Amino acid sequence: MLSHSATRLSCRSSINTASRSAQTFKAFYATIRSLRTPYEPPDPDDVEPSEKDFILSLLRANPSLRDTKSYLASFGPRPLPPQPMAPRPAEIPVQTDKDVTVHLETKPPDIKRAPSPVLASILNPVYRRTALVKIQAPFTDRQLESIARGMVYLEKLGLVSVIVVENDQLPRGDSRERTALVEETMRVVNALEKQGARARPVLGAVVRLGPKPGGECSSEPREYDEPEAHTFPGDLVHIRSALRAGEIPVLPPFALDSFCRSIRVDGNDVIAALVRGMVEAAALDRTSPVGEDSPSSSPDEMDLTPLRLMMITREGGIPSYARQGMPHLLVNLTSEYDYIRDTFDPRWRLSHSTALMNLKLARTCLAYMPPTSSAFMVSHRSPSSLIGNLITNKPALSSSLPHALLQSHRKLTADTPTILRHGLPIRVVRRVDDVDKPKLKDLLEQSFRRQLDDAPFWERMERDLDFVIVAGDYAGAAIVTRERCPMGTSDAIGPLTYLDKFAVRPEHQGNGTVDFLWVALHDETYGLGLPFSANPNGGKEGKGEGRDLVWRSRADNPVNKWYFERSTGHMCQGDWVLFWCDAEARLKTEEGRRGAARGALSYLEDWEVGRLATWSDVVMKIPSSWKPKPQLPAKK
């Protein structure tokens, strides 16, 4: 029997309920589940900020220190050039009446006092970057006002939008379609100017119909679709001119055909062509010699490389099975694109008619954009969320949080945006022989900043490994083992599913890799058996029985806050904290059975009796994987 202090259970509710008073449970073991907490109604004060609440929108973004550094690296003040050291003041000899020479110091008249670094950083303008924005019209004047306010927010932060206006409800081939698209473009321009921005309509075609010459001859396999239009650097002169003048260019979806006629095309083709063309033009600007005719020599010229792709629609994000039709929060296009497309519910094709087309557009565009870029599917009702995405490059809520917590969170609504990243492939490896040992070792040592004790670690993996989830080329990994339980307990709770290591390289932290990895871990362990846990990357694809997942962490580990939010419960064990996640399918089955009998789940079910003592006994005996830290020599 464990002592009272060693078995004290730190219970933590996953949802902020109306009654937040401290509770003491008399049960010796207790498990807090967000599935058993009531729904929290939305806060009536949580409304979109007005025009005067720009600062409030920044605060609501709640960026971390890493987010702030990343934003400042792209948009922060330019570093000041090193100032030359001022020469020492000259000494002028002056002859006095008593034949005593006095040296007077004089300051050169052309040397000015340098401003303070703080003042210089405030007065120095931020870098301006570009974003491609698709406005999926039609919108009312009030809705356009909300969209324009979001564009103005972004411009204040240094991100200037290049807007393409599309209207799928306008019949193709209609005699008035060109006039209607021009009118829709001018409505967007007027809405921007009413919000204080400067906008310029670019009504001439800047892209050309058809694949780019030479691009179709490439023999390399592509994971994206080739754009149906293209543009050359010289075609971007009107967009460059508008950006140089501090104006937001707004374009209708026109393109030049082979007869040099300006015709209407799909807006997604214009967006894809512009993304590719702007990336190529920016690369050309960087390699061109600086001269009078070089765009990069102009102080008013900005980098044309798009950092964001934004698709503003009436529909919002992509619906998800895991959230009963509420939007996906974060999508890994490399590993999830085919699954989302193939399992898209036919009912969603009516309510989210453009979702799959925009998903395809995001995959094509992000293939050309920098790895740090992201795509953003957002409703016109969420202008302030544009700020949060720009500063943090993250979704409103982490996609790896428990599904029950997300489902009842007041920030998760039908208008919650979906963030799309190019992402990394995720695969499940079940044999040690299939693991790249040098790469995995380097990943663990880079992540934990300790030296791996190779021989005993790999010997243990050969004996106890269940599987390894690998992200990309070992950018991240989750190692799961099957631990033997003492005799007499394994029949009750089965072999212990233990998260031995969860590691992500430092350079991939903050780009979604952590969430991608944890979601795959959920699908293979405690989320297994649920219909939305079909991991198509070598895993069990949702088939099987979910298992409780257990792991431990040092009590002073700064990552523990992240673990607290994702675990079902935790228990302090001296210098360690024991975490666990209950098998969700088992809870849902029991909850349904109790519901039919009008009974509720208790905080201590029969299968939970004694399991914490068993888990603690097993986990605390697992040897360390690291070599001892070298001891500093004692001072004499």
Side-chain angles (χ1 to χ4, degrees):
M1 182 67 65
L2 300 177
S3 64
H4 176 72
S5 59
T7 58
R8 184 178 56 193
L9 178 62
S10 303
C11 298
R12 182 178 182 271
S13 175
S14 301
I15 304 176
N16 295 325
T17 58
S19 59
R20 295 287 296 179
S21 60
Q23 301 182 26
T24 303
F25 298 101
K26 296 181 180 180
F28 185 68
Y29 297 120
T31 300
I32 300 302
R33 300 183 182 90
S34 56
L35 292 172
R36 305 171 185 175
T37 52
Y39 170 73
E40 179 189 1
D43 185 355
D45 294 330
D46 189 17
V47 296
E48 292 295 341
S50 65
E51 181 181 1
K52 298 181 181 180
D53 291 334
F54 175 65
I55 300 299
L56 180 59
S57 299
L58 292 174
L59 297 176
R60 287 184 175 180
N62 193 23
S64 64
L65 180 60
R66 181 187 292 115
D67 298 332
T68 305
K69 290 181 177 179
S70 177
Y71 167 78
L72 291 177
S74 298
F75 297 94
R78 297 179 176 89
L80 295 175
Q83 299 291 336
M85 295 184 61
R88 295 185 60 182
E91 296 181 351
I92 303 177
V94 178
Q95 192 72 26
T96 62
D97 295 340
K98 298 182 179 180
D99 295 333
V100 178
T101 302
V102 178
H103 296 274
L104 300 179
E105 293 186 356
T106 62
K107 182 181 296 185
D110 57 340
I111 296 179
K112 298 181 181 180
R113 185 177 180 181
S116 69
V118 175
L119 180 61
S121 64
I122 294 175
L123 297 179
N124 202 28
V126 297
Y127 283 113
R128 294 190 302 155
R129 313 300 289 268
T130 59
L132 261 296
V133 180
K134 173 188 174 185
I135 295 182
Q136 194 83 33
F139 290 110
T140 65
D141 291 342
R142 181 66 184 87
Q143 292 167 347
L144 279 181
E145 177 185 345
S146 177
I147 295 172
R149 185 165 62 244
M151 299 296 99
V152 172
Y153 285 169
L154 296 180
E155 189 181 29
K156 290 180 180 179
L157 292 171
L159 190 70
V160 184
S161 303
V162 178
I163 301 175
V164 176
V165 182
E166 177 62 289
N167 189 341
D168 289 335
Q169 296 184 6
L170 185 63
R172 296 187 178 275
D174 188 275
S175 59
R176 292 192 66 258
E177 67 173 346
R178 185 178 186 87
T179 303
L181 286 171
V182 171
E183 291 176 353
E184 199 70 47
T185 301
M186 296 308 300
R187 287 184 65 224
V188 174
V189 170
N190 293 333
L192 290 168
E193 292 182 340
K194 287 181 180 179
Q195 295 298 319
R198 298 172 59 192
R200 179 189 298 186
V202 181
L203 303 181
V206 297
V207 303
R208 303 166 188 262
L209 195 60
K212 190 169 185 178
E216 66 276 4
C217 298
S218 176
S219 60
E220 298 181 1
R222 291 191 180 97
E223 61 178 18
Y224 59 90
D225 299 309
E226 184 79 12
E228 294 296 330
H230 66 279
T231 186
F232 295 105
D235 299 329
L236 302 176
V237 59
H238 298 294
I239 293 179
R240 285 186 184 273
S241 175
L243 296 175
R244 190 181 299 116
E247 299 172 339
I248 298 176
V250 186
L251 297 76
F254 296 154
L256 292 176
D257 64 6
S258 57
F259 297 99
C260 293
R261 296 175 302 186
S262 178
I263 63 173
R264 179 193 179 185
V265 296
D266 191 283
N268 287 8
D269 293 334
V270 177
I271 289 282
L274 283 176
V275 166
R276 181 180 183 179
M278 292 172 67
V279 170
E280 293 174 349
L284 187 62
D285 291 345
R286 289 189 292 268
T287 57
S288 298
V290 177
E292 293 182 0
D293 298 331
S294 174
S296 58
S297 64
S298 172
D300 297 327
E301 197 70 28
M302 69 173 67
D303 189 347
L304 286 180
T305 306
L307 291 187
R308 298 288 187 274
L309 169 65
M310 301 182 184
M311 294 159 282
I312 304 177
T313 68
R314 298 176 303 280
E315 307 164 2
I318 303 174
S320 167
Y321 288 102
R323 284 170 271 285
Q324 287 72 50
M326 290 293 186
H328 277 279
L329 295 170
L330 180 65
V331 174
N332 181 351
L333 288 171
T334 300
S335 63
E336 299 178 40
Y337 175 83
D338 291 333
Y339 177 73
I340 293 176
R341 182 194 58 189
D342 296 340
T343 61
F344 200 75
D345 195 312
R347 295 172 296 178
W348 295 339
R349 296 182 184 274
L350 297 177
S351 60
H352 296 75
S353 58
T354 63
L356 291 183
M357 292 187 294
N358 288 331
L359 180 70
K360 178 181 177 181
L361 173 65
R363 186 178 70 156
T364 300
C365 293
L366 289 176
Y368 296 106
M369 296 164 67
T372 56
S373 301
S374 62
F376 197 52
M377 295 177 62
V378 61
S379 165
H380 63 276
R381 301 181 183 90
S382 305
S384 64
S385 62
L386 300 176
I387 286 183
N389 171 252
L390 174 61
I391 298 178
T392 67
N393 206 9
K394 295 177 182 178
L397 295 167
S398 174
S399 59
S400 60
L401 287 170
H403 291 291
L405 175 59
L406 289 173
Q407 188 62 31
S408 57
H409 201 290
R410 61 187 177 90
K411 287 188 177 181
L412 181 64
T413 67
D415 298 315
T416 301
T418 296
I419 308 297
L420 304 105
R421 304 294 297 262
H422 185 270
L424 297 168
I426 304 291
R427 66 185 188 278
V428 180
V429 180
R430 300 195 176 275
R431 298 194 312 157
V432 177
D433 294 341
D434 296 331
V435 175
D436 191 321
K437 293 182 179 180
K439 289 184 178 181
L440 182 58
K441 175 185 175 181
D442 183 65
L443 164 64
L444 296 178
E445 292 182 344
Q446 290 285 339
S447 179
F448 288 91
R449 299 180 181 177
R450 297 190 64 180
Q451 189 173 3
L452 189 69
D453 196 0
D454 292 56
F457 174 77
W458 292 116
E459 180 181 351
R460 180 169 174 269
M461 291 298 105
E462 291 282 357
R463 182 183 68 248
D464 300 327
L465 179 67
D466 191 353
F467 60 86
V468 181
I469 303 176
V470 181
D473 189 17
Y474 289 85
I479 303 175
V480 177
T481 60
R482 301 294 295 269
E483 303 296 331
R484 299 176 178 85
C485 294
M487 295 296 294
T489 60
S490 59
D491 294 339
I493 64 176
L496 178 61
T497 302
Y498 177 67
L499 176 59
D500 188 270
K501 295 289 184 293
F502 187 83
V504 175
R505 289 188 180 276
E507 60 268 25
H508 285 273
Q509 295 174 7
N511 67 357
T513 302
V514 174
D515 283 333
F516 297 149
L517 201 58
W518 191 270
V519 169
L521 177 65
H522 162 274
D523 293 349
E524 292 299 309
T525 55
Y526 65 98
L528 189 65
L530 297 176
F532 51 80
S533 297
N535 183 357
N537 304 294
K540 295 186 176 181
E541 299 186 1
K543 301 174 183 177
E545 184 178 351
R547 298 167 290 167
D548 300 332
L549 180 67
V550 184
W551 71 98
R552 69 181 180 184
S553 177
R554 289 281 183 183
D556 58 352
N557 189 348
V559 183
N560 286 346
K561 179 181 181 297
W562 197 83
Y563 286 151
F564 287 142
E565 295 173 342
R566 282 150 186 81
S567 63
T568 300
H570 67 277
M571 183 172 65
C572 296
Q573 293 280 48
D575 294 336
W576 295 90
V577 180
L578 180 72
F579 294 93
W580 71 90
C581 289
D582 290 324
E584 294 179 355
R586 184 174 65 229
L587 288 179
K588 286 184 175 294
T589 301
E590 185 65 20
E591 188 180 45
R593 186 178 67 82
R594 295 289 183 86
R598 296 186 179 181
L601 287 175
S602 64
Y603 282 103
L604 188 63
E605 295 295 328
D606 293 340
W607 70 77
E608 297 173 324
V609 176
R611 65 173 186 168
L612 289 184
T614 301
W615 289 351
S616 176
D617 181 57
V618 173
V619 169
M620 292 303 135
K621 292 180 181 178
I622 296 176
S624 173
S625 305
W626 312 107
K627 291 182 179 180
K629 293 182 179 180
Q631 299 291 333
L632 296 177
K635 295 183 179 180
K636 296 182 179 180

